[in-house]
């Protein structure tokens, strides 16, 4: 019963973060699965991919209704990240557990620092551009590199990478923040799927009594997160999440070194 309650609580927090910030859920799911629910780093990253995939698909439906997904851009980003996600997904099970933990701690710290930086203004992207080509000011090389890096990160560490995808879609492609959040979701779903395929039977050995309630709570929590984001300042949410990430990075970094 304690494990079930922990899984539900952790999943709800992950969903709230994903719904409130449009990303970051996976980077909390992995440490929760390791330190609260007892999974190994390799099993936790595989489980996190399943959770990220489910929550992304559920969020895609809402963003499709709102018309905030730029499908051509999403497909281009996903295509760039597909092979890296598959390759790093296959490699993850063969890497030392301490290396995965250290890499995750580094990514969490970098994500926190990035979120604490003052936001840059985004370009306009109205509803009429719902399936428009990449803006003329975008940098295709940087966009492709961002998509490939996102795929590699998703495959290796089991994180969706929304905290990286959204800034990349704003800075390299020129989307508005709202459109970037919606567009990142299909990219995350594709990368997570590719990584799960190359991990082979890794999902078969997971504890579904933990993963199922965790995933269900995350999906439901994401809807509450969207309502929470409408009430609170985005800057407050980002700073709170960044502080939480710094704590996670410190714990996991110490664990990898000791």
């Amino acid at each position: 019963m304690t494990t079930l309650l922990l899984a539900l609580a952790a999943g709800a927090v992950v969903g709230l973060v994903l719904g409130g910030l449009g990303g970051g859920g996976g980077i909390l799911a992995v440490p929760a699965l390791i330190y609260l629910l007892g999974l190994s780093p390799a099993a936790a990253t595989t489980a996190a991919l399943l959770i990220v995939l489910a929550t992304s698909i559920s969020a895609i439906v809402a963003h499709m209704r709102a018309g905030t997904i730029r499908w051509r851009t999403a497909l281009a980003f996903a295509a760039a990240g597909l092979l890296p996600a598959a390759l790093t997904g296959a490699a993850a099970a063969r890497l030392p557990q301490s290396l995965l933990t250290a890499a995750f701690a580094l990514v969490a710290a970098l994500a926190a620092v990035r979120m604490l930086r003052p936001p840059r203004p985004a370009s306009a992207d109205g509803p009429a551009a719902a399936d428009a080509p990449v803006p003329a000011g975008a940098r295709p090389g940087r966009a492709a590199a961002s998509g490939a890096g996102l795929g590699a990160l998703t495959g290796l560490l089991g994180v969706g990478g929304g905290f990286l995808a959204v800034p990349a879609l704003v800075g390299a492609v020129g989307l508005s923040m709202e459109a970037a959040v919606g567009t990142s979701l299909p990219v995350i779903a594709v990368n997570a799927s590719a990584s799960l395929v190359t991990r082979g039977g890794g999902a078969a050995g997971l504890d579904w009594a933990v993963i199922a309630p965790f995933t269900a709570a995350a999906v439901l929590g994401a809807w509450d997160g969207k309502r929470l984001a409408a009430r609170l300042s985005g800057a407050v949410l980002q700073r709170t999440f960044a502080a939480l990430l710094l704590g996670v990075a410190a714990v996991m970094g110490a664990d990898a070194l000791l």
Side-chain angles (χ1 to χ4, degrees), residues 70 73-74 77 123 135 143 146 150 164-176 179-185 187:
R70 309 301 181 244
T73 301
F77 251 67
S123 62
S146 298
L150 176 62
L164 295 177
V166 172
L169 287 166
V170 170
V173 180
L175 298 185
S176 69
V181 169
T183 304
S184 72
L185 293 168
V187 179

Short mmCIF file of all heavy atoms in Angstrom, two decimals, residues 70 73-74 77 123 135 143 146 150 164-176 179-185 187:
data_model
loop_
_atom_site.label_atom_id
_atom_site.label_comp_id
_atom_site.label_asym_id
_atom_site.label_seq_id
_atom_site.Cartn_x
_atom_site.Cartn_y
_atom_site.Cartn_z
N ARG A 70 2.65 22.79 -34.40
CA ARG A 70 3.13 23.08 -35.75
C ARG A 70 3.71 21.78 -36.30
O ARG A 70 4.86 21.44 -36.02
CB ARG A 70 4.18 24.20 -35.71
CG ARG A 70 3.75 25.45 -34.95
CD ARG A 70 2.48 26.06 -35.53
NE ARG A 70 2.08 27.27 -34.81
CZ ARG A 70 0.96 27.37 -34.13
NH1 ARG A 70 0.13 26.33 -34.04
NH2 ARG A 70 0.63 28.49 -33.52
N THR A 73 7.13 21.46 -38.38
CA THR A 73 8.29 21.67 -37.52
C THR A 73 8.50 20.47 -36.61
O THR A 73 9.63 20.02 -36.39
CB THR A 73 8.12 22.95 -36.68
OG1 THR A 73 7.95 24.06 -37.57
CG2 THR A 73 9.31 23.18 -35.79
N ALA A 74 7.40 19.94 -36.05
CA ALA A 74 7.50 18.78 -35.17
C ALA A 74 8.09 17.58 -35.90
O ALA A 74 8.96 16.86 -35.36
CB ALA A 74 6.11 18.43 -34.62
N PHE A 77 11.89 18.10 -36.45
CA PHE A 77 12.63 17.89 -35.20
C PHE A 77 12.69 16.40 -34.86
O PHE A 77 13.73 15.88 -34.45
CB PHE A 77 11.97 18.67 -34.06
CG PHE A 77 12.78 19.84 -33.59
CD1 PHE A 77 12.98 20.92 -34.43
CD2 PHE A 77 13.34 19.88 -32.32
CE1 PHE A 77 13.73 22.02 -34.02
CE2 PHE A 77 14.07 20.97 -31.90
CZ PHE A 77 14.28 22.04 -32.75
N SER A 123 9.26 35.32 -30.90
CA SER A 123 8.61 35.94 -32.06
C SER A 123 7.15 35.56 -32.10
O SER A 123 6.72 34.57 -31.54
CB SER A 123 9.29 35.45 -33.35
OG SER A 123 9.16 34.07 -33.48
N PRO A 135 10.07 29.63 -40.08
CA PRO A 135 10.22 31.04 -40.41
C PRO A 135 11.55 31.34 -41.10
O PRO A 135 12.54 30.65 -40.89
CB PRO A 135 10.15 31.72 -39.02
CG PRO A 135 9.39 30.75 -38.16
CD PRO A 135 9.75 29.41 -38.68
N ALA A 143 18.55 24.08 -35.71
CA ALA A 143 17.34 23.33 -35.43
C ALA A 143 17.58 21.82 -35.53
O ALA A 143 17.13 21.04 -34.69
CB ALA A 143 16.23 23.74 -36.39
N SER A 146 19.65 20.70 -32.58
CA SER A 146 18.83 20.67 -31.38
C SER A 146 17.95 19.43 -31.35
O SER A 146 17.80 18.78 -30.32
CB SER A 146 17.95 21.93 -31.30
OG SER A 146 18.73 23.10 -31.23
N LEU A 150 18.26 16.47 -28.60
CA LEU A 150 17.09 16.11 -27.81
C LEU A 150 16.82 14.61 -27.89
O LEU A 150 16.53 13.96 -26.87
CB LEU A 150 15.88 16.89 -28.32
CG LEU A 150 14.54 16.57 -27.68
CD1 LEU A 150 14.56 16.88 -26.19
CD2 LEU A 150 13.42 17.34 -28.37
N LEU A 164 14.36 21.34 -22.79
CA LEU A 164 15.32 21.72 -23.84
C LEU A 164 14.63 21.98 -25.16
O LEU A 164 15.02 22.86 -25.92
CB LEU A 164 16.37 20.62 -24.02
CG LEU A 164 17.30 20.35 -22.84
CD1 LEU A 164 18.23 19.19 -23.16
CD2 LEU A 164 18.12 21.59 -22.50
N ALA A 165 13.59 21.19 -25.45
CA ALA A 165 12.91 21.32 -26.74
C ALA A 165 12.22 22.66 -26.89
O ALA A 165 12.28 23.30 -27.95
CB ALA A 165 11.90 20.18 -26.91
N VAL A 166 11.56 23.11 -25.82
CA VAL A 166 10.80 24.36 -25.92
C VAL A 166 11.71 25.56 -26.20
O VAL A 166 11.45 26.33 -27.14
CB VAL A 166 9.95 24.58 -24.65
CG1 VAL A 166 9.32 25.97 -24.66
CG2 VAL A 166 8.86 23.52 -24.56
N PRO A 167 12.82 25.75 -25.44
CA PRO A 167 13.73 26.86 -25.80
C PRO A 167 14.31 26.74 -27.20
O PRO A 167 14.51 27.75 -27.88
CB PRO A 167 14.83 26.76 -24.73
CG PRO A 167 14.20 26.05 -23.59
CD PRO A 167 13.26 25.07 -24.21
N ALA A 168 14.59 25.49 -27.63
CA ALA A 168 15.15 25.30 -28.98
C ALA A 168 14.14 25.70 -30.05
O ALA A 168 14.50 26.33 -31.05
CB ALA A 168 15.59 23.86 -29.16
N LEU A 169 12.88 25.35 -29.84
CA LEU A 169 11.86 25.68 -30.82
C LEU A 169 11.59 27.19 -30.86
O LEU A 169 11.23 27.74 -31.89
CB LEU A 169 10.56 24.92 -30.50
CG LEU A 169 10.61 23.42 -30.82
CD1 LEU A 169 9.45 22.70 -30.15
CD2 LEU A 169 10.60 23.17 -32.32
N VAL A 170 11.78 27.84 -29.72
CA VAL A 170 11.63 29.30 -29.68
C VAL A 170 12.82 29.98 -30.33
O VAL A 170 12.68 30.85 -31.19
CB VAL A 170 11.45 29.80 -28.23
CG1 VAL A 170 11.52 31.33 -28.17
CG2 VAL A 170 10.12 29.31 -27.66
N GLY A 171 14.04 29.57 -29.93
CA GLY A 171 15.24 30.25 -30.38
C GLY A 171 15.69 29.88 -31.78
O GLY A 171 16.08 30.75 -32.57
N ALA A 172 15.64 28.59 -32.13
CA ALA A 172 16.16 28.15 -33.42
C ALA A 172 15.12 28.19 -34.53
O ALA A 172 15.46 28.36 -35.70
CB ALA A 172 16.72 26.73 -33.29
N VAL A 173 13.84 28.03 -34.17
CA VAL A 173 12.80 27.96 -35.18
C VAL A 173 11.95 29.23 -35.22
O VAL A 173 11.40 29.58 -36.24
CB VAL A 173 11.92 26.71 -34.95
CG1 VAL A 173 10.82 26.60 -35.99
CG2 VAL A 173 12.78 25.45 -34.96
N GLY A 174 11.86 29.91 -34.08
CA GLY A 174 11.11 31.16 -34.06
C GLY A 174 9.66 31.03 -33.67
O GLY A 174 8.86 31.92 -33.96
N LEU A 175 9.27 29.94 -32.99
CA LEU A 175 7.89 29.78 -32.56
C LEU A 175 7.62 30.59 -31.29
O LEU A 175 8.54 30.92 -30.54
CB LEU A 175 7.58 28.30 -32.28
CG LEU A 175 7.71 27.31 -33.44
CD1 LEU A 175 7.25 25.94 -33.00
CD2 LEU A 175 6.90 27.78 -34.65
N SER A 176 6.36 30.88 -31.06
CA SER A 176 5.97 31.48 -29.79
C SER A 176 6.09 30.40 -28.70
O SER A 176 6.18 29.21 -28.98
CB SER A 176 4.53 31.99 -29.85
OG SER A 176 3.64 30.90 -29.94
N ALA A 179 3.18 27.85 -28.89
CA ALA A 179 3.33 26.92 -30.01
C ALA A 179 4.50 25.97 -29.78
O ALA A 179 4.45 24.81 -30.17
CB ALA A 179 3.54 27.70 -31.31
N ALA A 180 5.57 26.45 -29.14
CA ALA A 180 6.72 25.60 -28.87
C ALA A 180 6.37 24.47 -27.92
O ALA A 180 6.81 23.33 -28.09
CB ALA A 180 7.87 26.44 -28.30
N VAL A 181 5.57 24.78 -26.88
CA VAL A 181 5.15 23.74 -25.93
C VAL A 181 4.33 22.67 -26.66
O VAL A 181 4.57 21.48 -26.50
CB VAL A 181 4.33 24.37 -24.78
CG1 VAL A 181 3.66 23.29 -23.94
CG2 VAL A 181 5.22 25.24 -23.91
N GLY A 182 3.36 23.10 -27.47
CA GLY A 182 2.55 22.13 -28.20
C GLY A 182 3.35 21.33 -29.20
O GLY A 182 3.20 20.11 -29.31
N THR A 183 4.26 21.98 -29.91
CA THR A 183 5.05 21.32 -30.95
C THR A 183 6.06 20.34 -30.36
O THR A 183 6.41 19.33 -30.99
CB THR A 183 5.78 22.38 -31.80
OG1 THR A 183 4.81 23.28 -32.34
CG2 THR A 183 6.55 21.75 -32.95
N SER A 184 6.52 20.61 -29.14
CA SER A 184 7.50 19.71 -28.52
C SER A 184 6.90 18.34 -28.20
O SER A 184 7.63 17.34 -28.14
CB SER A 184 8.05 20.34 -27.24
OG SER A 184 7.09 20.34 -26.21
N LEU A 185 5.60 18.27 -28.01
CA LEU A 185 4.98 17.02 -27.54
C LEU A 185 5.09 15.87 -28.56
O LEU A 185 5.48 14.76 -28.18
CB LEU A 185 3.52 17.27 -27.17
CG LEU A 185 3.33 18.17 -25.94
CD1 LEU A 185 1.88 18.61 -25.81
CD2 LEU A 185 3.80 17.46 -24.68
N VAL A 187 7.34 15.54 -30.81
CA VAL A 187 8.77 15.24 -30.88
C VAL A 187 9.17 14.33 -29.73
O VAL A 187 9.86 13.31 -29.91
CB VAL A 187 9.61 16.54 -30.83
CG1 VAL A 187 11.09 16.23 -30.87
CG2 VAL A 187 9.23 17.47 -31.97
#
